[in-house]
């Protein structure tokens, strides 16, 4: 972390919430404080800094602890030979080129069908179309929640933005590969208890993260609190289900493993956002054609009528946007698929 971050930090001790810290540096380099300790001057609680990452998970609840343990135990990476690897310092070094290729991939096995990063690669068009729509100037202060491997934070930092990437998992340690090229702060923290003072960020971004919460309203409330007046929240790649759709058994299986994945309807998403304080919250249905093209291309599919049609619609966006109107109700009732949620904090708040 860098010292500039201190001015906006907040102690997560529920009985404290102080925002004055003493910093004890054990090791620093030309980029950041590598190892050290932050101590709250109000309540005395300490937060460790290790490998540049501040740890605000010193008092994890049972749900977070279980999910973190499940992620640490997961053999996330599988190579072409069938060998499996956990996300740790050794595998981060071994597969550094793979991480640098996120999200779209480099054409290697890892991003193809059955590969460890297939899902990320096949959702990459959503990320890049969202990045284009954001029209970042480089002056924004951005918080990414559930950053995981933190490729999004890296992309934001490359545009000159001041960025903080947060996650509960050790996947965040992959960020050590990126910060030498485009710096951003990193911390382990819970999205239900964000360690920043009110009105800190211009934008909060999350990809496939908030559905891990069993209390969406609380998360939206925390995000609303740390956003500046006029700031925005952008969510992509969140799982959801249609109003008439049954909850898939995979969610029960994930819960038994320790994960907190939950399938909310779009109505529940919107209701939680408004319950958290966002009066202006809208769901945007994204291009099905772009999703289809990315998915089929990534799987090496032959060009057929469906793929040609998808390419045509992707090229003629006005026509696709018109046709998408007729899919809104069926998607809400059965399966929403590709969508994005954008919420704005009122400028007068």
């Amino acid at each position: 972390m860098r010292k500039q971050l201190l001015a906006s930090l907040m102690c997560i001790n529920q009985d404290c919430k102080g925002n004055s810290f003493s910093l004890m540096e054990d090791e620093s380099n030309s980029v950041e404080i590598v190892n050290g300790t932050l101590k709250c001057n109000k309540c005395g609680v300490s937060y460790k800094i290790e490998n540049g990452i501040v740890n605000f998970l010193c008092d994890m609840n049972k749900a977070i602890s279980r999910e973190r343990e499940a992620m640490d135990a997961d053999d996330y990476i599988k190579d072409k030979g069938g060998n499996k690897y956990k996300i740790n310092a050794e595998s981060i070094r071994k597969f550094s080129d793979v991480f640098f290729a996120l999200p779209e991939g480099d054409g290697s096995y890892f991003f193809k069908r059955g590969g460890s990063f297939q899902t990320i690669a096949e959702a990459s068009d959503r990320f890049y179309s969202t990045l284009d729509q954001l029209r970042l100037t480089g002056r924004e202060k951005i918080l990414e929640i559930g950053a995981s491997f933190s490729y999004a934070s890296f992309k934001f930092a490359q545009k000159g933005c001041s960025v903080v990437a947060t996650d509960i998992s050790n996947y965040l340690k992959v960020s050590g590969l990126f910060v030498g090229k485009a710096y951003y702060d990193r911390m382990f923290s819970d999205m239900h208890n964000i360690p920043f003072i009110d009105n800190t960020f211009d934008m909060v971004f999350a990809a496939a993260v908030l559905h891990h919460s069993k209390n969406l309203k609380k998360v939206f409330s925390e995000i609303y609190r740390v956003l500046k007046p006029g700031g925005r929240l952008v969510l992509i790649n969140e799982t959801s289900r249609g109003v008439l759709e049954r909850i898939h058994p995979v969610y029960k299986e994930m819960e038994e493993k320790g994960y907190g994945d939950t399938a909310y309807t779009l109505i529940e998403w919107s209701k939680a956002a408004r319950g958290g304080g966002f009066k202006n919250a809208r769901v945007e249905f994204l291009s099905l054609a772009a999703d289809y093209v990315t998915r089929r291309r990534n799987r090496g599919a032959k060009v057929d009528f469906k793929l040609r049609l998808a390419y045509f619609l992707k090229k003629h966006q006005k026509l696709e946007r018109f046709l998408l109107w007729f899919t809104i109700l069926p998607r809400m009732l059965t399966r929403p698929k590709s969508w994005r949620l954008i919420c704005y904090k009122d400028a007068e708040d």
Side-chain angles (χ1 to χ4, degrees):
M1 66 159 278
R2 287 179 172 171
K3 290 182 180 179
Q4 295 92 316
L5 193 66
L6 285 170
S8 54
L9 289 179
M10 183 183 74
C11 179
I12 59 170
N13 184 346
Q14 294 295 331
D15 298 321
C16 176
K17 300 296 183 183
N19 66 329
S20 174
F21 293 87
S22 296
L23 172 62
M24 289 154 276
E25 298 181 44
D26 296 329
E27 180 186 355
S28 300
N29 57 30
S30 60
V31 177
E32 64 178 357
I33 300 161
V34 179
N35 295 304
T37 304
L38 287 178
K39 185 176 181 180
C40 176
N41 293 327
K42 183 177 179 181
C43 71
V45 170
S46 294
Y47 305 97
K48 285 287 185 181
I49 306 168
E50 294 181 339
N51 298 314
I53 303 176
V54 191
N55 188 359
F56 278 95
L57 289 178
C58 53
D59 187 22
M60 290 183 283
N61 62 38
K62 185 177 180 180
I64 294 175
S65 180
R66 284 190 72 230
E67 185 150 16
R68 199 170 202 248
E69 289 173 4
M71 296 174 84
D72 283 344
D74 189 12
D75 294 326
Y76 191 101
I77 301 178
K78 183 176 70 173
D79 64 22
K80 203 167 185 177
N83 301 302
K84 297 180 179 180
Y85 304 83
K86 293 178 172 57
I87 302 296
N88 53 36
E90 182 181 352
S91 62
I92 290 171
R93 287 193 298 271
K94 182 178 179 66
F95 299 104
S96 59
D97 290 344
V98 176
F99 290 117
F100 272 118
L102 290 168
E104 68 272 27
D106 55 6
S108 66
Y109 163 79
F110 299 100
F111 299 93
K112 298 297 183 179
R113 190 167 192 172
S116 305
F117 301 98
Q118 175 193 349
T119 303
I120 296 176
E122 293 184 354
S124 60
D125 186 82
R126 301 177 199 168
F127 171 73
Y128 283 115
S129 64
T130 299
L131 184 61
D132 289 342
Q133 189 198 55
L134 292 175
R135 295 184 176 86
L136 299 174
T137 65
R139 297 188 296 271
E140 293 86 356
K141 191 169 184 178
I142 300 174
L143 171 67
E144 183 182 8
I145 293 175
S148 186
F149 306 120
S150 72
Y151 67 83
S153 287
F154 180 50
K155 301 294 184 185
F156 298 147
Q158 284 182 311
K159 289 185 173 292
C161 300
S162 174
V163 184
V164 181
T166 68
D167 203 279
I168 66 167
S169 79
N170 283 305
Y171 296 179
L172 188 61
K173 292 180 179 180
V174 172
S175 63
L177 296 172
F178 302 129
V179 294
K181 296 180 180 293
Y183 185 81
Y184 50 98
D185 288 295
R186 295 93 65 212
M187 61 176 58
F188 294 124
S189 76
D190 173 19
M191 59 185 168
H192 301 84
N193 193 10
I194 300 174
F196 286 95
I197 60 175
D198 298 359
N199 308 322
T200 296
F201 296 97
D202 299 294
M203 187 179 89
V204 174
F205 175 83
V209 175
L210 268 66
H211 70 274
H212 288 266
S213 173
K214 302 296 184 185
N215 189 350
L216 273 182
K217 182 179 176 181
K218 171 63 175 174
V219 179
F220 279 111
S221 178
E222 273 292 274
I223 293 171
Y224 189 89
R225 179 184 65 79
V226 300
L227 275 173
K228 294 177 182 178
R232 55 185 167 172
L233 162 66
V234 180
L235 301 183
I236 63 171
N237 301 342
E238 292 290 357
T239 61
S240 59
R241 63 181 176 87
V243 174
L244 303 179
E245 188 178 9
R246 292 182 179 180
I247 297 177
H248 197 281
V250 72
Y251 289 97
K252 181 66 175 178
E253 295 171 12
M254 295 295 286
E255 187 173 350
E256 289 173 353
K257 291 180 180 179
Y259 292 94
D261 298 63
T262 307
Y264 297 105
T265 66
L266 293 184
I267 294 173
E268 290 171 322
W269 278 104
S270 297
K271 182 179 179 181
R274 291 183 171 86
F278 290 101
K279 298 175 185 176
N280 186 351
R282 71 173 187 271
V283 172
E284 297 179 350
F285 289 93
L286 305 180
S287 170
L288 294 177
D291 259 17
Y292 187 77
V293 168
T294 304
R295 186 169 63 253
R296 291 288 301 277
R297 187 172 55 203
N298 192 60
R299 298 179 183 184
K302 293 181 180 180
V303 177
D304 56 12
F305 173 75
K306 288 183 179 180
L307 191 53
R308 289 193 188 95
L309 177 61
Y311 273 117
F312 177 82
L313 291 174
K314 186 178 179 182
K315 184 177 181 180
H316 298 83
Q317 294 182 14
K318 288 185 179 179
L319 174 60
E320 190 192 12
R321 281 196 293 269
F322 171 74
L323 294 175
L324 282 176
W325 279 102
F326 298 98
T327 71
I328 291 176
L329 182 58
R331 287 165 76 173
M332 289 188 68
L333 293 177
T334 57
R335 183 167 295 178
K337 293 186 178 178
S338 183
W339 57 278
R340 175 170 56 211
L341 181 65
I342 299 182
C343 306
Y344 289 89
K345 184 172 181 176
D346 289 348
E348 64 270 16
D349 283 7

